[in-house]
């Protein structure tokens, strides 16, 4: 490519619906799991039992889909309360992150929803899912997510994290926090029982959106190359990773990477025999996909 890009580690995320999928993905070299249920409905929140089992079976990060229904990406107050509870449980069960997304009736990113979920995540990694591609304008949506991350339009994630850390340090000096220390100690001690390390994160610490999963607003990522390139360049400015997903096959990875500069790839049916969720994840296909991604990223 003839443009300068921020080099990111090639990352392959694989959709898993159970522990068998997750273990095969890890065996094949996947870097992260997106754990979902009901793929026939586009992916919904998995059961608490599935989350616990998958987290216990693999060592790579597990990001849990938080989506209560497939009717739309617009959520009621009751939906939000259920999702907050799901986020809390995912954190307690040891998930590394969550996958969320919501839009207003006008197709804009729902700021209130997203801010509430980021606060509830308390340090978990966060991916904004393909609700992004259903938004009215994907470029404006990425700008909107960037503004939520940074508190003002265009401020990147690193600046936000520095401000939050500074604010947290300042506040801790001004208060005698015996109660908070007791709570933090209790939360950290619970790690010995196998709970997530993220339970030790201060309640004043919000998560931020690390990445967006997108096909560039098109039905599949290979159809959205131009849009993905634009989003990738903007994402670098905002320090939000753009992860390409939907309809990605092993054969298309080199073109996808070279044309867009994106080195974070999301795959589901593309690493299953026959390209179908009727079959489990195939470790050999995952290995082929990871090798193709590494080669393509090295050529950038």
């Amino acid at each position: 490519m003839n443009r300068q890009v921020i080099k990111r580690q090639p990352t392959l995320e694989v959709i898993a619906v159970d522990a068998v999928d997750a273990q095969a993905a890890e065996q094949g070299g996947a870097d992260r799991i997106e754990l979902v249920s009901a793929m026939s409905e586009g992916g919904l929140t998995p059961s608490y039992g599935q989350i616990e089992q998958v987290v216990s079976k693999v060592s790579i990060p597990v990001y849990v889909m938080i989506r209560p229904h497939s009717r739309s990406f617009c959520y009621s107050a009751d939906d939000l309360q259920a999702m907050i509870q799901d986020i809390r449980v995912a954190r307690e069960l040891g998930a590394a992150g969550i996958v969320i997304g919501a839009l207003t009736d006008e197709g804009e990113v729902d700021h209130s929803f997203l801010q509430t979920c980021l606060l509830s995540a308390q340090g978990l990694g966060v991916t904004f899912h393909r609700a992004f591609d259903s938004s009215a304008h994907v470029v404006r949506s990425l700008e909107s997510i960037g503004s939520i991350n940074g508190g003002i339009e265009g401020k990147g994630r690193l600046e936000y994290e520095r401000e939050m850390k500074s604010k947290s340090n300042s506040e801790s000096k001004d208060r005698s926090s015996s109660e908070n220390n007791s709570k933090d100690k209790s939360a950290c001690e619970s790690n010995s029982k196998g709970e997530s390390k993220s339970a030790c994160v201060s309640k004043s610490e919000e998560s931020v959106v690390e990445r967006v999963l997108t096909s560039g607003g098109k039905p599949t990522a290979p159809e959205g190359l131009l849009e993905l390139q634009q989003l990738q360049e903007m994402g670098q400015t905002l320090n939000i990773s753009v992860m390409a997903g939907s309809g990605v096959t092993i054969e298309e990875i080199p073109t996808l990477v070279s044309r867009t500069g994106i080195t974070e790839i999301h795959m589901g049916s593309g690493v299953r025999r026959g390209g179908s969720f009727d079959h489990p994840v195939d470790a050999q296909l995952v290995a082929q996909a990871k090798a193709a991604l590494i080669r393509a990223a090295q050529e950038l």
Side-chain angles (χ1 to χ4, degrees):
M1 287 188 315
N2 295 321
R3 62 182 183 281
Q4 184 176 1
V5 299
I6 298 172
K7 293 287 187 178
R8 294 185 184 273
Q9 186 72 19
T11 301
L12 178 64
E13 178 179 274
V14 172
I15 297 173
V17 299
D18 55 24
V20 172
D21 276 353
Q23 289 175 297
E26 182 174 44
Q27 180 184 347
D31 300 288
R32 185 172 57 242
I33 299 296
E34 182 192 61
L35 181 61
V36 306
S37 67
M39 278 306 301
S40 61
E41 297 185 59
L44 301 179
T45 306
S47 72
Y48 297 166
Q50 284 283 26
I51 297 171
E52 184 174 32
Q53 186 175 69
V54 169
V55 168
S56 71
K57 296 285 187 179
V58 298
S59 59
I60 58 177
V62 176
Y63 276 50
V64 176
M65 174 66 74
I66 306 295
R67 187 180 177 217
H69 59 71
S70 60
R71 292 191 298 274
S72 74
F73 294 117
C74 300
Y75 298 110
S76 68
D78 287 341
D79 290 334
L80 179 56
Q81 288 305 309
M83 296 165 84
I84 290 172
Q85 172 72 355
D86 287 338
I87 291 170
R88 182 187 67 79
V89 172
R91 185 177 65 250
E92 291 176 351
L93 293 176
I98 55 173
V99 184
I100 59 174
L103 305 174
T104 66
D105 291 334
E106 294 74 32
E108 305 294 335
V109 171
D110 189 330
H111 278 224
S112 177
F113 165 91
L114 188 55
Q115 288 170 332
T116 300
C117 287
L118 291 176
L119 180 60
S120 300
Q122 294 184 21
L124 288 177
V126 178
T127 299
F128 194 100
H129 60 51
R130 289 191 66 226
F132 184 84
D133 291 318
S134 295
S135 66
H137 193 281
V138 292
V139 170
R140 189 165 66 237
S141 293
L142 187 57
E143 291 174 339
S144 182
I145 292 169
S147 74
I148 295 170
N149 271 0
I152 60 173
E153 189 80 5
K155 183 178 288 187
R157 176 165 60 90
L158 292 181
E159 288 83 354
Y160 172 78
E161 288 176 340
R162 291 190 194 104
E163 287 185 3
M164 289 299 295
K165 183 176 181 180
S166 175
K167 179 180 178 182
S168 177
N169 289 340
S170 176
E171 289 176 348
S172 66
K173 291 178 182 179
D174 294 337
R175 74 169 80 97
S176 56
S177 54
S178 59
E179 180 180 353
N180 287 337
N181 288 338
S182 176
K183 290 180 179 179
D184 288 345
K185 181 179 179 181
S186 176
C188 291
E189 286 176 346
S190 70
N191 289 334
S192 64
K193 301 176 183 178
E195 294 183 358
S196 170
K197 292 181 180 179
S198 62
C200 293
V201 176
S202 166
K203 289 184 180 296
S204 66
E205 181 179 349
E206 284 188 28
S207 293
V208 293
V209 177
E210 301 170 311
R211 70 186 59 78
V212 295
L213 170 59
T214 177
S215 56
K218 301 297 184 180
T220 68
E223 295 175 79
L225 293 178
L226 291 176
E227 293 80 5
L228 286 169
Q229 177 185 333
Q230 184 180 8
L231 291 169
Q232 166 71 354
E233 292 171 351
M234 178 176 292
Q236 291 183 339
T237 300
L238 297 172
N239 201 24
I240 298 173
S241 180
V242 173
M243 177 166 61
S246 182
V248 178
T249 65
I250 296 170
E251 294 74 21
E252 289 164 332
I253 288 175
T255 299
L256 185 56
V257 173
S258 65
R259 290 280 300 277
T260 67
I262 292 171
T263 57
E264 190 163 354
I265 302 296
H266 173 89
M267 297 186 75
S269 59
V271 289
R272 298 167 188 267
R273 293 295 175 187
S276 171
F277 276 94
D278 290 337
H279 301 283
V281 169
D282 187 300
Q284 290 185 342
L285 294 179
V286 174
Q288 292 172 24
K290 183 63 181 294
L293 175 57
I294 291 173
R295 287 194 299 269
Q298 289 172 341
E299 295 174 2
L300 284 178

